[in-house]
Amino acid sequence: MAGIFIATFYQWGLTFKTLSGWLLAIVIVSAAVIDINWGIIPDKITYPSLVMGLLFSFVTVGIYSSIAGGIFFAGALLLAAFCYRGAMGGGDIKIALVIGIFTGFQGAIIAFILAVVL
């Protein structure tokens, strides 16, 4: 986490993008650890994160890009869940929505490509 925080600060300085990046990092790492240990991604993490991502979007990526990114990334995983039963759970789709909201449309495309490749 320290490395992520430092890299984010190095990229954008002390701005709303940095604060948004830090929050997203906390959410993703927390969700990953909980998912690995218990096989769930709690709504108590995803729903507040969606609200915070939308609020930050006004000063980071823009509200329209934020909504488009969320729809794209979550939609892609929702499609995968329908095509391949058991491939994606509801928590995975919701966390993809959070990532898309925080990163905007361009960031969601990059995140999707990285998720597929990795």
Side-chain angles (χ1 to χ4, degrees):
M1 289 301 299
I4 293 169
F5 276 34
I6 291 168
T8 306
F9 180 79
Y10 181 76
Q11 178 69 30
W12 290 300
L14 190 55
T15 64
F16 281 111
K17 282 188 178 186
T18 301
L19 297 175
S20 176
W22 288 349
L23 180 61
L24 180 60
I26 291 167
V27 167
I28 291 174
V29 170
S30 299
V33 169
I34 292 168
D35 194 22
I36 288 168
N37 289 322
W38 291 282
I40 61 166
I41 299 174
D43 292 342
K44 289 182 179 183
I45 291 176
T46 54
Y47 292 152
S49 301
L50 288 172
V51 173
M52 292 301 296
L54 286 171
L55 291 175
F56 271 112
S57 73
F58 287 102
V59 293
T60 57
V61 296
I63 188 70
Y64 296 116
S65 179
S66 179
I67 292 170
I71 291 170
F72 167 76
F73 201 6
L77 294 191
L78 185 61
L79 181 63
F82 279 131
C83 292
Y84 306 101
R85 299 277 181 214
M88 293 290 147
D92 298 314
I93 296 166
K94 287 184 269 187
I95 206 71
L97 180 63
V98 169
I99 293 168
I101 293 288
F102 269 92
T103 62
F105 187 70
Q106 290 179 336
I109 291 172
I110 293 167
F112 177 74
I113 291 169
L114 287 172
V116 169
V117 170
L118 297 174

